[in-house]
Amino acid sequence: MYIEVYFSRGGNPHGAKIRVFDKDNNLLLEDTVSDDGTYSFAPPAKTDLVIRVDAGEGHFWTDTIPADKLGKTVSDGQTGDGSQKAPETVTISKEQLREMQSEIRFRDVLGGIGYIVGATGVAMYFLSKRQKKEERAGGTG
């Protein structure tokens, strides 16, 4: 099986983690995609596969490949003439990536709130320093 991962605005997710699970959520394999955003593997068994790619910073993709769409698996071995069947291609489309990136997750909302609270705290700190400076300047005259 061949998987190609890329960002909707171009570029490859260097170091993205890929995990493949069976339909019962048992981890079958875990690895890192290549620097060009590709990864290939022989499916370990003829079962529905759940593929999860995590490129960090909230960029992730999950998809299920039904067992009937799989070619030869490791458990099947080779074809009768000793050759391997060509790998099946699974490509993440730009539309799928845009959909994943447009999802607003709880941690994104929480991070935004934290940023606003932090910026407000910094502004209040400088305002209080300014008030104290004005009070000292007003009290000496």
Side-chain angles (χ1 to χ4, degrees):
M1 179 166 289
Y2 176 83
I3 298 171
E4 184 176 351
V5 183
Y6 51 88
F7 294 116
S8 62
R9 294 182 182 160
N12 299 319
H14 302 286
K17 302 293 181 199
I18 184 167
R19 291 177 184 90
V20 179
F21 299 86
D22 65 12
K23 63 183 176 184
D24 298 321
N25 208 30
N26 297 312
L27 182 64
L28 301 176
L29 66 91
E30 182 174 16
D31 208 346
T32 303
V33 300
S34 65
D35 286 340
D36 66 355
T38 61
Y39 185 77
S40 61
F41 66 96
K46 194 84 162 186
T47 181
D48 293 351
L49 298 178
V50 178
I51 300 173
R52 294 182 187 150
V53 178
D54 185 353
E57 298 183 19
H59 301 283
F60 66 91
W61 171 76
T62 302
D63 199 6
T64 301
I65 310 299
D68 63 346
K69 297 286 184 189
L70 297 177
K72 290 284 183 189
T73 64
V74 171
S75 60
D76 291 338
Q78 297 180 330
T79 60
D81 62 0
S83 64
Q84 292 284 354
K85 185 175 179 180
E88 183 159 335
T89 301
V90 177
T91 303
I92 303 170
S93 71
K94 290 183 180 185
E95 291 77 27
Q96 287 173 314
L97 277 171
R98 274 193 213 103
E99 182 180 313
M100 291 184 317
Q101 291 173 340
S102 68
E103 290 179 17
I104 299 175
R105 290 175 286 283
F106 178 71
R107 70 175 179 210
D108 297 334
V109 173
L110 196 59
I113 291 170
Y115 181 81
I116 292 168
V117 169
T120 302
V122 169
M124 292 177 73
Y125 170 78
F126 285 111
L127 285 174
S128 70
K129 295 278 274 178
R130 184 173 166 190
Q131 274 184 329
K132 287 180 184 179
K133 185 177 180 182
E134 288 174 359
E135 288 173 4
R136 279 189 238 136
T140 58

